[in-house]
Amino acid sequence: MRPALLDPLFAPLNSLPGIGPKAGELYARLLGRESIDDCRVIDLVFHAPHSLIDRRHQPGIARAPQGTIVTITGRVDRHQPPAPRTNQPYRVFLHDETGELALTFFRVKGNWLEKALPIDETVTVSGKVDWFNGRPSMVHPDYMVRALEAENLPLVEPVYPLTAGLSARILRKSIEAALPRIPDFPEWLDEALLEKQSFASTRDCFLTLHDPRDETDIDPQAPARRRLAYDEFLAGQLSLSLVRQRLRKVAGTPVHATATLSKPVLDALPFSLTASQVTAIGEVLKDMAGTERMLRLLQGDVGSGKTAVALMSMLAAVEAGGQAVLMAPTEILARQHFATLSKMAAPAGVTIDVLTGRTKGREREAILERIALGETQIVIGTHALFQDTVGYANLLLAVVDEQHRFGVHQRLRLTAKGISPHMLVMTATPIPRTLVLAAFGDMDVSKLTEKPAGRKPIQTVTVSTERTGEIVSRLHTALGEGKKAYWICPLVEESDASDLMSVDERFQTLKSHFGAQVGLVHGRMNGAEKDTVMLAFKTGEIRLLVATTVVEVGVDVPDATIMVIEHAERFGLAQLHQLRGRVGRGDEASTCILLYKGPLSENGRARLSILRETEDGFLIAEEDLKLRGEGELLGTRQSGTPGFRIASLEAHGDLLEIARKDAAYIIERDPELTSDRGEALRTLLYLYRRDEAIRFLRAG
Ligand code: ADP
Ligand code: MG
């Protein structure tokens, strides 16, 4: 049960005054939740300001710099309402000892200005000053108060990330209403650490977070932010440790591979395994043979051959008389895996089934029965594999193919269901070690570092858009020699906010050069349309494919050898790497041309040159992390995983390491979190919604 202490923070967000259904939608969007029903007061407490407005500058009217925010105290002289039926503004003039200032208001209705700014009254106003023809004016001041009440004026204000439609003032009001709900938390940190890091209490840190006094308070290294980041890391590491402890406690069933099945499969493969694959398979088999459950992450770039490793691992489970499952993130990928693996595994004569949400009726029942009886030895599917209705005869290994997703928590839910096979997680996103640590704890990792033999390196060049003409004429030659090329554009539609070349416009230009050899595929087309174009590209009917990033995932046209990426400076490094991975898949040498629009920033130049220098996805990911930050690397903006609210690996990496050790120490001393500190730590887990881990405690 969540401690009652936290109840005010976990009250629905719309229990705060002023958040009705309409505003609720805006808040949900702002906080990245599906609907207002998922929003809690705590979510707003975690919504940190990104900057501040400083109104402490009070230079006097005559010395107010152009375009900056100042606070001015002066006496109201006269009102100058607009002439009737004109668009003129309403002006109110005031003066101080240095000069005169015009307060300017548009579309004024009623007489509220006369009340707010009575003549001869001394008032304090704050806002941005604009100079025009030697006269200063302030358009729609942010604040206007009588001088006597000036002390109520917030001289320093936090500025929060907003969403369209939600005003800063309203958001600030609700945050102000949320803050008093923060209770005094029991201290969950070790005293020595508090002292060493000079951490204030968590409550004080939240209050400081929302009450920045100057720029240093906004900095990620501000003491309050560091403490909150530490809390967050500790909650994450602790929950991971608890889960791992629990996983490990359920002793693994030792799986002894006999090679009776894997040998005929290996012998029949049209290639020999890479050294990386051999090593990875060795690591997996060694883990599975032990009495502890395996919990291993297999990282390998797209095309590095993870599927073969998965198959060998699954065959080991079958050799030991058990079953294995492979879970894919989507229906399509599940069926693709089923097709590939059935073919690869044919020499072993194992029974493979596919089970997804689309498997219905009799077929489903038959498969479920085969699984329950142990007749099905390998099952491939989506998360339908772990629904309650699926009962396994003897599940020894679960392989999870994450592709580009990265959600550890759903996966752990599996274990909560009491299914406890060895586990192998495969991911194509090259994840730097620090991120693995943050998301998985110290999970064991195997890496596929080499590409299957026979692949030629991809030559990568950077070219300014000014030289697009040259590229087009080189394409002429290449297409003439029978080559195939991709041309990637970043956007589907020209947006007036940017001068990006739209994919359609590019398609038209290229078509005028190359005619019917050019095809177009983008995200707005429906599935069948896309398939038709892709097929035409595969068969060679189309030789130049203009595309948006839809080709990023899953497209396999091995004889395409040229990749042109327009506005490369707008893409993330990881994404550029994925795109480039579409070529270099056959035995022909390939080229990747990164077209950039200059001038490049120093950072932009550094980013593109990394791609020129290496094809190593891990290295690229590490560099990307340094240059951009982990949020963008993982695309968390879109997917919301892995959620960190305050902590940033970039800024607080040193704290993660401490938190990891701290968590290990805690679990060793107090594995059930029953001591006083343990109780406090449970509160911490709830605060960061890591309470899933607490269920593991209760389950014993
Ligand atoms: P991913 O790691 O992206 O899942 P796959 O397992 O789909 O990669 O492998 C990509 C391609 O490389 C497949 O066509 C596969 O048959 C082939 N492949 C895998 N291992 C090797 C190897 N050792 N030598 C040559 N080709 C290989
Ligand atoms: Mg794969």
Side-chain angles (χ1 to χ4, degrees), residues 271-274 277 300-308 448 452-453 455:
F271 48 76
S272 50
L273 297 177
T274 65
Q277 283 170 319
D301 236 346
V302 180
S304 58
K306 293 185 291 295
T307 317
L448 299 183
R455 306 243 166 108

Side-chain angles (χ1 to χ4, degrees), residues 274 276-277 298-309 427-428 447-452 455 585 618:
T274 65
S276 285
Q277 283 170 319
L298 175 64
Q299 289 189 296
D301 236 346
V302 180
S304 58
K306 293 185 291 295
T307 317
V309 177
T427 162
K447 284 188 188 183
L448 299 183
T449 49
E450 33 178 354
K451 290 269 159 77
R455 306 243 166 108
R585 314 193 124 223
F618 292 108

Side-chain angles (χ1 to χ4, degrees), residues 133-284:
N133 282 344
R135 292 161 190 270
S137 79
M138 187 183 284
V139 179
H140 290 233
D142 302 326
Y143 289 97
M144 304 190 295
V145 294
R146 301 192 179 197
L148 292 174
E149 297 156 14
E151 60 196 46
N152 295 336
L153 192 145
L155 285 178
V156 182
E157 269 175 61
V159 180
Y160 293 94
L162 285 173
T163 189
L166 187 64
S167 89
R169 195 172 291 223
I170 300 225
L171 175 61
R172 270 207 316 278
K173 272 222 172 95
S174 33
I175 289 178
E176 274 161 26
L179 295 181
R181 303 210 181 179
I182 304 174
D184 268 319
F185 301 105
E187 186 52 73
W188 43 69
L189 294 190
D190 182 57
E191 217 164 284
L193 180 77
L194 287 172
E195 218 162 276
K196 183 147 179 252
Q197 296 279 344
S198 315
F199 283 156
S201 76
T202 295
R203 179 170 182 274
D204 284 349
C205 290
F206 276 127
L207 297 178
T208 307
L209 179 74
H210 291 283
D211 188 23
R213 304 318 297 165
D214 54 44
E215 292 296 330
T216 58
D217 290 338
I218 295 294
D219 192 281
Q221 299 305 345
R225 290 189 183 227
R226 277 177 64 82
R227 154 92 210 224
L228 295 173
Y230 187 81
D231 281 353
E232 184 164 30
F233 279 145
L234 183 62
Q237 291 300 305
L238 196 56
S239 79
L240 288 164
S241 306
L242 287 172
V243 171
R244 281 172 62 84
Q245 168 187 256
R246 165 94 177 126
L247 291 183
R248 290 264 147 96
K249 236 198 268 172
V250 187
T253 312
V255 169
H256 296 292
T258 61
T260 47
L261 299 175
S262 60
K263 181 149 192 321
V265 171
L266 273 179
D267 289 345
L269 283 182
F271 48 76
S272 50
L273 297 177
T274 65
S276 285
Q277 283 170 319
V278 172
T279 309
I281 293 167
E283 286 164 346
V284 169

Side-chain angles (χ1 to χ4, degrees), residues 557-575:
V557 183
D559 59 344
T561 54
I562 301 169
M563 168 66 65
V564 182
I565 305 175
E566 187 158 354
H567 280 296
E569 78 281 0
R570 306 270 171 140
F571 289 93
L573 275 191
Q575 202 179 13

Side-chain angles (χ1 to χ4, degrees), residues 503-576:
V503 64
D504 202 47
E505 202 177 315
R506 178 53 77 199
F507 172 60
Q508 298 302 341
T509 342
L510 290 172
K511 209 169 162 177
S512 70
H513 284 278
F514 299 104
Q517 295 184 87
V518 191
L520 173 66
V521 60
H522 59 69
R524 299 269 171 89
M525 293 161 66
N526 69 35
E529 288 169 336
K530 275 189 243 177
D531 290 349
T532 310
V533 181
M534 290 311 305
L535 189 67
F537 188 51
K538 250 191 179 148
T539 58
E541 214 175 301
I542 289 171
R543 310 206 73 86
L544 176 59
L545 183 67
V546 181
T548 54
T549 49
V550 291
V551 302
E552 188 184 340
V553 196
V555 171
D556 192 22
V557 183
D559 59 344
T561 54
I562 301 169
M563 168 66 65
V564 182
I565 305 175
E566 187 158 354
H567 280 296
E569 78 281 0
R570 306 270 171 140
F571 289 93
L573 275 191
Q575 202 179 13
L576 288 173

Side-chain angles (χ1 to χ4, degrees), residues 45 78 96 115 253 318 321 392-393 554 577:
V45 172
R78 62 200 158 93
D96 66 6
K115 286 193 185 139
T253 312
V318 178
Y392 293 89
H577 177 65

